[in-house]
């Protein structure tokens, strides 16, 4: 039985639901071509960080209450990698080169927390040909006098100002660290997000016992990390008018299939390619196809969301039900 793997994401008809997430691999023309040949349907380029747009720093501190001092967390977001941190002009070249290299949609990525002059790069990124823009917002709310409402308002202002400056689709990549995530998601969509990418994988700094300094730490994800996004995609599917992308912990066909079942339009991968190589993309796609054929699904559109909160018989499973049942499985076991 042949199955239709195509899916809608950000208004595009993609040939399948496998997208390579933002990472240095997509910033290289050769790797991009190999990823396209391997069958991925779209790519997200590595991020241009707000902090990289140094000549804008003055303007940022003028308009942003958080101030330029508020970004140290983002500076330790990734371990240093040669050639990863490019300047803004070089980034525009990366986007233009990527567009020339492949035919699949190319989504550029901006990474920041404040509404400032740097946001004008969204328009420049569009002008050099990006098909879409992903805005990665990660802010560590470390100030004692900042409330959740203040921070949420900043997120909305940032999304709205980026959205105003572009006409290409805008996806917003967020962390799960919000008290009222469903409300936050709905408001981000109201502010202009055409898609939500769940979730940004935040690298926590480790402590180096030899140097007695905090140190950046990057480890590949594991499939267990996928569960949080599965829950929230299930909860949001059909209830926010936006595309949904799952990112974090998709390593194989099972991971992608689960993401689609709960309601993701696409699954994004990064660690799996670093760990297993580019051929893992083909293994994921053929595994998805086989699973669908064996389980009687004709198309990804039919599969998407069939286990979402709205469609699941056990609606409590994505809410407190699971919380109660899981520890119960261990009751009576002695050590
Ligand atoms: C080496 C590396 C670099 C990354 N760089 C970025 C980045 O620049 N911007 C971003 O939004 N996410 C970045 N990510 C996060 C990935 O896009 C993805 O969300 C995360 O790795 C979870 O997916 P995975 O479990 O498939 O790795 C990076 C991930 C890796 C492994």
């Amino acid at each position: 039985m042949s199955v239709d793997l195509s899916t809608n994401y950000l208004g595009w008809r993609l040939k399948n639901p496998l997208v390579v997430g933002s990472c240095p691999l997509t910033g290289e023309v050769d790797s991009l071509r190999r990823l396209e040949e391997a069958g991925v349907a779209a790519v997200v380029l590595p991020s241009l960080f707000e902090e990289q747009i140094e000549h804008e720093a003055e303007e940022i501190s003028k308009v942003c209450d958080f101030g330029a001092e508020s970004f140290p967390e983002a500076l330790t977001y990734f371990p240093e990698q040669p050639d990863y941190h490019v300047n803004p002009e070089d980034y525009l070249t990366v986007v233009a080169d990527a567009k020339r290299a492949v035919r699949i949609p190319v989504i550029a990525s901006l990474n920041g927390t404040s509404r400032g002059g740097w946001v004008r790069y969204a328009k420049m990124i569009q002008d050099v040909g990006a098909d879409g823009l992903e805005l990665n917002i990660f802010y560590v709310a470390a100030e004692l006098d900042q409330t959740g409402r203040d921070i949420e308002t900043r997120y909305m202002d940032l999304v709205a100002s980026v959205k105003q400056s572009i006409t290409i689709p805008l996806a917003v990549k967020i962390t799960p660290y919000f008290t009222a995530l469903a409300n936050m998601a709905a408001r981000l969509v109201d502010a202009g997000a055409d898609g939500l990418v769940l979730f940004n994988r935040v690298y926590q700094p480790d402590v180096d016992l030899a140097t007695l300094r905090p140190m950046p730490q990057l480890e590949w994800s594991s499939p267990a990390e996928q569960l949080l996004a599965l829950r929230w995609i299930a909860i949001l599917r059909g209830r926010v008018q936006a595309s949904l992308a799952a990112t974090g912990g998709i390593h194989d066909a099972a991971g992608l299939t689960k993401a689609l079942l709960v309601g993701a339009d696409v699954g994004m991968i990064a660690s799996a390619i670093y760990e297993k190589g580019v051929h893992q993309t083909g293994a994921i796609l053929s595994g998805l196809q086989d699973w669908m054929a064996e389980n009687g699904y004709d198309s990804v559109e039919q599969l998407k969301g069939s286990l979402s909160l709205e469609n699941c018989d056990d609606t409590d499973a994505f809410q407190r039900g699971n919380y109660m049942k899981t520890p119960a499985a261990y009751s009576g076991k002695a050590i």
Side-chain angles (χ1 to χ4, degrees):
M1 183 175 121
S2 79
V3 295
D4 177 3
L5 290 185
S6 66
T7 182
N8 282 317
Y9 182 60
L10 299 179
W12 308 310
R13 190 87 192 150
L14 299 184
K15 63 184 174 185
N16 66 58
L18 189 60
V19 173
V20 179
S22 175
C23 67
L25 285 176
T26 57
E28 297 287 331
V29 163
D30 287 346
S31 330
L32 272 175
R33 290 203 181 106
R34 290 187 63 209
L35 291 167
E36 182 177 47
E37 278 163 23
V40 303
V43 288
V44 187
L45 300 184
S47 296
L48 174 63
F49 286 75
E50 176 178 351
E51 294 79 358
Q52 290 169 257
I53 306 173
E54 286 166 16
H55 62 275
E56 299 284 356
E58 216 181 286
E59 193 173 349
I60 291 169
S61 63
K62 265 194 265 157
V63 296
C64 170
D65 291 346
F66 293 163
E69 294 306 306
S70 305
F71 309 131
E73 75 280 358
L75 296 174
T76 54
Y77 184 44
F78 299 117
E80 282 303 323
Q81 296 174 56
D83 299 331
Y84 191 49
H85 295 282
V86 294
N87 72 40
E89 277 66 35
D90 290 347
Y91 190 78
L92 298 178
T93 310
V94 169
V95 178
D97 289 349
K99 272 306 291 173
R100 270 193 296 274
V102 292
R103 290 190 189 167
I104 51 178
V106 169
I107 303 165
S109 168
L110 268 184
N111 196 315
T113 60
S114 65
R115 188 166 57 99
W118 69 285
V119 162
R120 75 193 165 90
Y121 277 88
K123 171 79 166 61
M124 293 187 207
I125 285 168
Q126 168 176 294
D127 291 345
V128 293
D131 298 293
L133 183 66
E134 193 173 282
L135 178 61
N136 180 333
I137 316 178
F138 167 53
Y139 178 68
V140 176
E143 301 304 322
L144 298 185
D145 60 352
Q146 262 168 13
T147 66
R149 183 180 287 266
D150 294 340
I151 290 159
E152 290 177 7
T153 304
R154 293 288 168 174
Y155 272 65
M156 302 311 152
D157 287 350
L158 175 54
V159 171
S161 66
V162 171
K163 178 70 180 176
Q164 271 163 23
S165 64
I166 57 173
T167 53
I168 53 177
L170 175 66
V172 179
K173 187 174 186 180
I174 53 170
T175 70
Y177 307 129
F178 293 99
T179 304
L181 188 58
N183 173 265
M184 188 70 188
R187 286 164 58 209
L188 287 168
V189 174
D190 284 347
D194 300 298
L196 298 174
V197 182
L198 309 178
F199 288 110
N200 188 9
R201 186 164 181 255
V202 176
Y203 300 100
Q204 313 293 357
D206 200 349
V207 170
D208 187 335
L209 288 179
T211 62
L212 294 184
R213 293 173 69 87
M215 64 174 182
Q217 177 73 9
L218 171 65
E219 282 175 6
W220 307 130
S221 67
S222 80
E225 291 175 37
Q226 191 189 6
L227 303 187
L228 193 58
L230 288 184
R231 161 178 279 168
W232 281 103
I233 291 170
I235 290 172
L236 296 176
R237 173 77 193 186
R239 299 169 70 215
V240 289
Q241 297 309 308
S243 294
L244 297 174
T247 173
I250 299 180
H251 283 243
D252 52 21
L256 180 59
T257 309
K258 289 178 198 174
L260 297 169
L261 276 167
V262 295
D265 295 293
V266 295
M268 294 183 176
I269 57 167
S271 295
I273 308 179
Y274 279 99
E275 274 193 315
K276 295 177 188 143
V278 73
H279 66 271
Q280 185 62 10
T281 56
I284 293 176
L285 287 171
S286 61
L288 170 66
Q289 202 156 356
D290 293 347
W291 187 92
M292 287 172 63
E294 280 160 25
N295 289 276
Y297 287 94
D298 300 330
S299 68
V300 161
E301 288 300 339
Q302 181 194 10
L303 174 69
K304 280 191 324 193
S306 45
L307 264 188
S308 70
L309 181 64
E310 281 189 336
N311 293 329
C312 187
D313 295 339
D314 182 4
T315 49
D316 204 30
F318 289 111
Q319 300 183 65
R320 278 180 62 89
N322 184 56
Y323 177 57
M324 281 170 13
K325 283 177 200 150
T326 310
Y330 285 89
S331 65
K333 290 204 179 13
I335 51 167

